[in-house]
Amino acid sequence: MRAISQDTLGGPEVLKTVETDRPRPGPTEVLVRVRAAGVNPTDWKTRESGGLLGRPPFVLGWDVSGVVEAVGLGTTLWEPGDEVFGMLPYPRGHGAYAEYVTAPARTFARKPAAVDHVRAAAIPLAALTAWQALVDTAGVRAGDRVLVHAAAGGVGHFAVQIAKARGAHVIGTASAAKHGFVRGLGAAELIDYRTQDFAEVVRDVDVVIDTVGGAYGPRSLRTLRRGGTIVSLVLSDLADGLHEEAERLGVRSRAMLVEADHGGMRALAALVQGGGLRPEIAAVLPLTDAAEAHRLGESGHTTGKLVLTTS
């Protein structure tokens, strides 16, 4: 089978097409014929630095939509021919940039009929991150005020929709050119981060979802009501005293890394099927153009998700 691998760390040019053996599913695993694979910022960051994987060689990618080809011993959830989508266990379950992958059966949920494989592949990692931050970590409820940073980005545009679906009042930060897009997702208020200081104009929010990091975390603490929660998705910024300052102000600070989650994927699938969640597709490229997908992603000029297809 074809896969996109790398032998060294570096720029997009280190990604290359290789031929490798098709994997076999072990007990409670499934073999999935990949129809599309989502591309996320963690992909190009790992390609360049090794991230949580360390040194190559490795095959990147965690977002998968495809068709079950075979099932391992003891697997009852799926049968060959089932259309599924999901996030491979992060970070060690990587390998979506390939024609076939194996993973635990409960990594996947049934692909919603309302979307094709391209749109399904754009959902798992980013939408699961948003779901686990908003629902599992912050416990967002109807009537809550939620501030989403980088609201037009991969995680952000899902967070806006999920918070809206749960009855929250959503405030998003984004460039002025993207305000119409984010408002269409359900945001009630928009802040142009280029011309406005969100920390000066936003007050009494219940939850902040910080996908940016740096100074955004400490500044966001000023927007929270007492007892509110900030969920940081940028783990490299957590040594800057954010927890201590949050405690001093009487708010909660939580750091989160996304996890493979069968229940979360089923919840997202239901939202998609019901029309409450839709991915924005920035570009679709063939698997062999993975390096170009990384270049596009690293440019910072895309809105929504990049997706690779195998055929």
Side-chain angles (χ1 to χ4, degrees):
M1 70 169 190
R2 291 181 305 167
I4 304 300
S5 186
Q6 64 183 94
D7 296 322
T8 62
L9 301 176
E13 68 279 359
V14 304
L15 299 176
K16 61 183 182 178
T17 304
V18 299
E19 289 287 336
T20 186
D21 293 336
R22 183 187 301 185
R24 295 182 178 181
T28 72
E29 290 186 335
V30 292
L31 172 69
V32 174
R33 170 71 164 92
V34 179
R35 297 298 187 191
V39 179
N40 296 285
T42 190
D43 298 9
W44 55 78
K45 292 174 183 177
T46 302
R47 181 211 71 223
E48 186 173 49
S49 70
L52 296 172
L53 296 186
R55 304 293 302 180
F58 45 65
V59 175
L60 290 170
W62 286 269
D63 279 344
V64 169
S65 184
V67 180
V68 174
E69 187 87 0
V71 301
L73 178 69
T75 300
T76 60
L77 196 61
W78 307 114
E79 296 179 353
D82 286 340
E83 294 189 315
V84 297
F85 76 133
M87 186 193 80
L88 305 181
Y90 186 84
R92 296 295 175 184
H94 56 93
Y97 292 8
E99 292 181 315
Y100 293 89
V101 295
T102 56
R106 293 180 185 274
T107 294
F108 300 101
R110 192 170 301 279
K111 183 186 75 66
V115 294
D116 59 14
H117 284 294
V118 167
R119 283 172 169 72
I123 294 169
L125 187 149
L128 266 182
T129 300
W131 179 271
Q132 290 171 4
L134 287 163
V135 180
D136 298 338
T137 304
V140 168
R141 300 173 296 178
D144 281 352
R145 288 168 52 81
V146 176
L147 173 61
V148 178
H149 288 308
V155 173
H157 89 291
F158 286 124
V160 170
Q161 295 175 78
I162 292 168
K164 175 66 174 178
R166 295 184 71 81
H169 177 95
V170 184
I171 307 163
T173 62
S175 64
K178 297 180 179 180
H179 282 192
F181 167 65
V182 180
R183 188 171 285 109
L185 299 175
E189 299 180 47
L190 277 302
I191 306 296
D192 181 358
Y193 66 88
R194 293 175 176 173
T195 61
Q196 295 175 283
D197 181 355
F198 69 85
E200 295 296 331
V201 297
V202 180
R203 287 289 182 272
D204 297 322
V205 299
D206 298 278
V207 176
V208 175
I209 303 299
D210 179 17
T211 67
V212 179
Y216 268 60
R219 290 168 59 207
S220 294
L221 295 179
R222 293 156 51 189
T223 71
L224 285 162
R225 66 164 178 79
R226 191 168 184 83
T229 301
I230 180 171
V231 183
S232 176
L233 305 176
V234 186
L235 300 187
S236 60
D237 290 330
L238 298 180
D240 296 333
L242 186 65
H243 292 311
E244 292 79 3
E245 180 64 9
E247 287 184 2
R248 188 184 70 80
L249 295 173
V251 300
R252 293 196 312 154
S253 172
R254 295 291 182 266
M256 199 202 86
L257 194 63
V258 67
E259 303 174 61
D261 179 1
H262 179 63
M265 284 304 306
R266 291 182 64 184
L268 293 173
L271 270 180
V272 172
Q273 191 62 30
L277 189 69
R278 59 179 176 86
E280 178 73 8
I281 304 300
V284 181
L285 298 92
L287 179 67
T288 50
D289 284 352
E292 179 60 21
H294 279 220
R295 291 187 188 97
L296 288 172
E298 288 180 287
S299 74
H301 299 310
T302 57
T303 298
K305 295 296 298 294
L306 296 157
V307 178
L308 302 172
T309 59
T310 59
S311 60

